[in-house]
Amino acid sequence: MRYLILSDIHSNLEALEECLKLADGKYDQVLCLGDLVGYGPDPNAVIRRVRDLGAVVIRGNHDKACSGLMDTEDFNALARAATDWTRAQLSQEETDFLRNLPQGPLSMDGFQLVHGSPGDEDEYILSTVEAISALQQMMKPITFFGHTHYQGGFSITAAHSLQSITHGPSEDQVSNPVGIFSSCRYLVNPGSVGQPRDGDWRAAFIIFDQEKKLLTYYRTGYNIEKTQEKMRAADLPEPLVRRLEIGR
Ligand code: ZN
């Protein structure tokens, strides 16, 4: 089975479509690690597109907030403004879809899906300290996670040697595939489709070939001006519009 793994699409339809175009023919099943909505201008269209792909989806914190399952107390003012806007845009059907998304960890054959971390769906795994604790809590050898909007991840060997998975943003959109070894455990972040924060503005995703035991990281440019125009037309906060082009 070859999985296309998407995370943190955040209502960015142009970025999503470009990822699907680049991934076309390279996968059998789509998996999505949460935060379909929030920040961007196309919440309903993104939900419908992901649903039509027959994707396996778990919920993210923005999916909870935008569907009323969680308040926005912990959100900063910009995220709160975008949440209020998204709530007003969502149709009943799309709101119900978000409300019914399962909470991670979601167990799959040989790996699991989480939004934040295996122990807490809202926790950020950014540092090696956080990664070690998450790797120890893992029920499966591979966990795919999102939430940080950083493409990459961590691996640990049987001898407890921890390494960051680095791949380097390549010019040609595809990075070198990373081999998966059965003696190691992995925390893998595909990066964010719709609002990267790792300094590279391009949409991020990965393809996991379970049979060949290969992870391939991808980045692709998209029509960012179009997304920004829609955000301005919707009166979404200007700092959210600008951050897309700097990838922070
Ligand atoms: Zn997110």
Side-chain angles (χ1 to χ4, degrees):
M1 195 75 150
R2 298 165 306 163
Y3 296 97
L4 166 59
I5 308 181
L6 307 171
S7 191
D8 299 279
I9 302 168
H10 284 294
S11 305
N12 189 332
L13 188 63
E14 286 71 34
L16 173 61
E17 292 296 355
E18 214 55 51
C19 291
L20 292 173
K21 208 192 283 177
L22 180 57
D24 190 38
K26 301 185 179 80
Y27 66 90
D28 308 300
Q29 169 75 53
V30 180
L31 309 176
C32 183
L33 310 178
D35 280 3
L36 296 178
V37 300
Y39 298 126
D42 283 305
N44 290 303
V46 162
I47 293 170
R48 287 180 202 132
R49 187 74 168 102
V50 170
R51 203 177 40 199
D52 290 349
L53 290 167
V56 173
V57 189
I58 58 167
R59 70 187 191 183
N61 52 322
H62 286 261
D63 303 322
K64 287 192 286 181
C66 292
S67 62
L69 283 178
M70 188 180 93
D71 62 38
T72 51
E73 233 170 51
D74 293 340
F75 280 18
N76 63 40
L78 297 174
R80 202 174 304 141
T83 302
D84 291 341
W85 181 86
T86 303
R87 281 178 179 172
Q89 302 299 312
L90 284 174
S91 68
Q92 190 59 50
E93 197 183 341
E94 273 65 41
T95 301
D96 290 343
F97 178 82
L98 294 180
R99 292 183 78 97
N100 291 320
L101 288 175
Q103 175 181 356
L106 184 70
S107 188
M108 307 285 293
D109 185 18
F111 59 93
Q112 64 179 2
L113 312 179
V114 304
H115 182 62
S117 84
D120 179 349
E121 63 178 340
D122 296 332
E123 184 186 46
Y124 291 90
I125 302 175
L126 284 160
S127 69
T128 49
V129 175
E130 291 148 352
I132 287 174
S133 122
L135 285 157
Q136 284 164 347
Q137 290 173 56
M138 282 164 48
M139 309 297 282
K140 301 267 184 170
I142 308 170
T143 297
F144 293 100
F145 73 105
H147 197 34
T148 63
H149 301 205
Y150 272 71
Q151 194 179 48
F154 304 90
S155 66
I156 195 163
T157 64
H160 302 291
S161 158
L162 182 86
Q163 282 176 327
S164 294
I165 303 173
T166 48
H167 43 86
S170 57
E171 296 299 317
D172 61 351
Q173 301 179 318
V174 187
S175 73
N176 292 325
V178 176
I180 294 282
F181 299 94
S182 54
S183 58
C184 299
R185 293 162 87 79
Y186 296 86
L187 266 172
V188 178
N189 193 327
S192 169
V193 171
Q195 197 208 70
R197 295 178 190 162
D198 51 8
D200 184 343
W201 68 275
R202 298 174 301 170
F205 65 93
I206 56 174
I207 289 178
F208 171 44
D209 188 323
Q210 201 168 24
E211 225 158 80
K212 291 187 182 155
K213 298 186 187 304
L214 282 180
L215 289 171
T216 309
Y217 289 85
Y218 289 82
R219 296 306 279 243
T220 178
Y222 66 96
N223 190 344
I224 192 170
E225 290 84 8
K226 189 172 173 187
T227 308
Q228 290 178 313
E229 256 167 48
K230 288 184 189 174
M231 289 176 78
R232 289 195 174 105
D235 263 335
L236 282 158
E238 184 63 18
L240 295 180
V241 179
R242 300 301 303 276
R243 77 183 300 177
L244 289 183
E245 70 203 41
I246 51 174
R248 290 284 179 205

